Amino acid sequence: MTLYDRIAAFYDPWSRSVTEDVGFYVEQALASGGPVVELAVGTGRIAVPIAEAGVSVIGVDSSPEMLRVARAAAESAEVSGLVDLRLGDLREPPVSERVPLVICPFRSLLHMETEEEKRRAARAAGGLLEADGRFVFDVFSPSREDIEETHGRWLEREPGILERADWDEGMRTLSLSLRAGDVITTFGLHWLSAPEWLRLLDEAGFEIEAVYGWFDRRPYDGEEDMIFVCKSR
């Protein structure tokens, strides 16, 4: 059982307020023409809207339970024919197809503990791209204010769902715990600075087309959030 198997049942209620990225990724998918590979597809929060826009999606995730929820969501939205869900690791995605767009939303690359693992995942994404294809993903680097406001405190993220952030600035890790009823699970996120991401992506064989500070495409200017649009060299 993966960490995400334990929270699959309440993942969507926990993340229901996260909507700002959906339109951005749908626009990226439409511009690419598809098909799209989504790494760490989760419950289909992004994949299903992309399919509803008429673009086919290959979704990869390591959690069978998250994929089960995603499959049900695609069926409910009547887009099952456009959503191909596959169990696998984003560092070795089970995808033989070559596509014009690979995405990895919702900071999922931060689950990779080391720079080498992040680089490996980025290279794997690049290996799925057609010539002139793009890899688009978002990550974050926390602000001092965010750390001070949330560190070590259980906060109600959504009704009945609690979240606790334990930050280690020295190690640059976030230990995020979620609790709903008797179910509790904790997973780690490992962040990098913008210059470190730029170096890592260069080493993984990408050139950077854009770095945004938010999903409205404002230029990155040192904010917490970073959205990278990368093109294979």
Side-chain angles (χ1 to χ4, degrees), residues 15-221:
S15 62
R16 68 161 51 95
S17 63
V18 184
T19 59
E20 61 275 358
D21 55 346
V22 178
F24 172 84
Y25 282 109
V26 170
E27 288 174 5
Q28 293 288 322
L30 287 169
S32 78
V36 175
V37 170
E38 181 179 350
L39 301 175
V41 69
T43 60
R45 187 180 65 86
I46 301 291
V48 169
I50 287 176
E52 288 178 314
V55 180
S56 61
V57 185
I58 299 168
V60 176
D61 204 278
S62 62
S63 166
E65 282 301 303
M66 296 286 273
L67 290 176
R68 182 187 62 78
V69 176
R71 193 167 289 110
E75 291 172 357
S76 178
E78 300 183 344
V79 293
S80 295
L82 291 175
V83 180
D84 178 359
L85 298 172
R86 305 180 188 182
L87 182 66
D89 191 307
L90 61 83
R91 291 162 293 192
E92 295 182 28
V95 179
S96 59
E97 297 90 337
R98 294 298 172 264
V99 299
L101 177 66
V102 175
I103 62 173
C104 190
F106 208 15
R107 305 165 169 181
S108 296
L109 280 178
L110 298 188
H111 288 298
M112 304 293 98
E113 294 186 10
T114 66
E115 284 197 39
E116 178 51 38
E117 286 184 317
K118 292 179 177 69
R119 189 180 300 107
R120 181 181 171 194
R123 283 178 176 148
L128 305 180
L129 292 173
E130 298 173 349
D132 296 325
R134 285 163 178 79
F135 177 37
V136 182
F137 67 96
D138 62 271
V139 289
F140 79 98
S141 179
S143 68
R144 161 52 46 186
E145 180 182 29
D146 191 22
I147 292 173
E148 291 177 349
E149 288 181 353
T150 61
H151 179 66
R153 302 171 57 199
W154 283 104
L155 302 171
E156 191 170 46
R157 170 73 174 261
E158 296 290 345
I161 303 175
L162 302 178
E163 177 182 287
R164 173 178 170 139
D166 291 286
W167 303 90
D168 186 329
E169 291 184 82
M171 297 297 294
R172 292 193 294 180
T173 61
L174 164 61
S175 180
L176 188 66
S177 300
L178 305 180
R179 185 170 71 196
D182 296 331
V183 178
I184 183 169
T185 193
T186 301
F187 51 85
L189 299 174
H190 309 263
W191 74 83
L192 297 175
S193 66
E196 288 169 321
W197 276 111
L198 293 172
R199 173 179 49 78
L200 184 153
L201 291 165
D202 177 66
E203 293 169 352
F206 289 100
E207 61 181 64
I208 309 301
E209 288 200 340
V211 184
Y212 300 122
W214 193 242
F215 298 100
D216 57 7
R217 300 174 186 258
R218 73 186 70 165
Y220 177 73
D221 190 24

